[in-house]
Amino acid sequence: MAVVNSREQRRWLNLAAAGASVGLMAYALFLQYVQGLEPCPLCVFQRVAVIALGVVFLVAGVHAPTGAFARVYGGLGMVAAVGGALVAGRHAWLQQLPADQVPACGPGLDYMLEVFPLTEALALVFQGSGECAEVQWSFLGLSMPAWVLIWCVGLGIWGLVVNFRRLA
């Protein structure tokens, strides 16, 4: 039986998390281009967070760092995970609002980014809109933003454990 050192173990665990991120994005693109579910502005930002997580895990896997460098990757992954979890949490919260409290539908993300200054466009996106409150997909009773929230929390914890813990 071959013995795997901690550096190789960390490499493969980071690459596994990168693979999970790729899988999440592949499914999101499948839903968009095959099933016809168009992402709302909050969905786009969740995708950015998942991609950022995937990039951090991929670079950490290729680099296979030890010591302080491993912790840097764990911290960067946590930043991306917390960002994604905050956006997904906001989105899931909007979907739970009663119909009379749902914000009115707003302009598309492309339009907002072209017309408004970046900070104002971001503020409008995070206010949410009617399209963000609509649940178009669910699995086991949870909407897509709720699943993204779960995945971001899970991958963030995974990144901390893998990159902060001393591996055997």
Side-chain angles (χ1 to χ4, degrees), residues 117-131:
L118 181 60
T119 55
E120 195 173 328
L122 291 175
L124 287 171
V125 167
F126 288 110
Q127 282 178 357
S129 67
E131 67 179 322

Side-chain angles (χ1 to χ4, degrees), residues 80-166:
V82 166
L86 288 173
V87 175
R90 171 74 173 164
H91 194 171
W93 175 78
L94 281 169
Q95 290 181 332
Q96 301 302 316
L97 287 176
D100 64 329
Q101 293 181 13
V102 172
C105 287
L109 181 60
D110 292 337
Y111 177 81
M112 286 189 279
L113 291 173
E114 286 178 18
V115 174
F116 298 108
L118 181 60
T119 55
E120 195 173 328
L122 291 175
L124 287 171
V125 167
F126 288 110
Q127 282 178 357
S129 67
E131 67 179 322
C132 292
E134 184 181 335
V135 177
Q136 297 181 357
W137 178 96
S138 67
F139 179 68
L140 298 176
L142 296 175
S143 67
M144 194 172 305
W147 281 108
V148 173
L149 173 62
I150 290 167
W151 275 101
C152 284
V153 169
L155 287 172
I157 292 168
W158 179 274
L160 286 178
V161 169
V162 166
N163 292 297
F164 274 76
R165 200 177 105 203
R166 182 176 225 139

Side-chain angles (χ1 to χ4, degrees), residues 4 21 69 128 156:
V4 178
S21 298
F69 285 116

Side-chain angles (χ1 to χ4, degrees), residues 32-121:
Q32 180 178 351
Y33 292 108
V34 177
Q35 300 294 319
L37 296 179
E38 285 299 317
C40 72
L42 287 174
C43 292
V44 172
F45 283 99
Q46 290 168 67
R47 288 179 179 192
V48 169
V50 170
I51 291 168
L53 269 167
V55 168
V56 169
F57 283 123
L58 179 63
V59 173
V62 170
H63 182 202
T66 58
F69 285 116
R71 289 178 189 86
V72 168
Y73 289 119
L76 290 173
M78 185 50 79
V79 167
V82 166
L86 288 173
V87 175
R90 171 74 173 164
H91 194 171
W93 175 78
L94 281 169
Q95 290 181 332
Q96 301 302 316
L97 287 176
D100 64 329
Q101 293 181 13
V102 172
C105 287
L109 181 60
D110 292 337
Y111 177 81
M112 286 189 279
L113 291 173
E114 286 178 18
V115 174
F116 298 108
L118 181 60
T119 55
E120 195 173 328

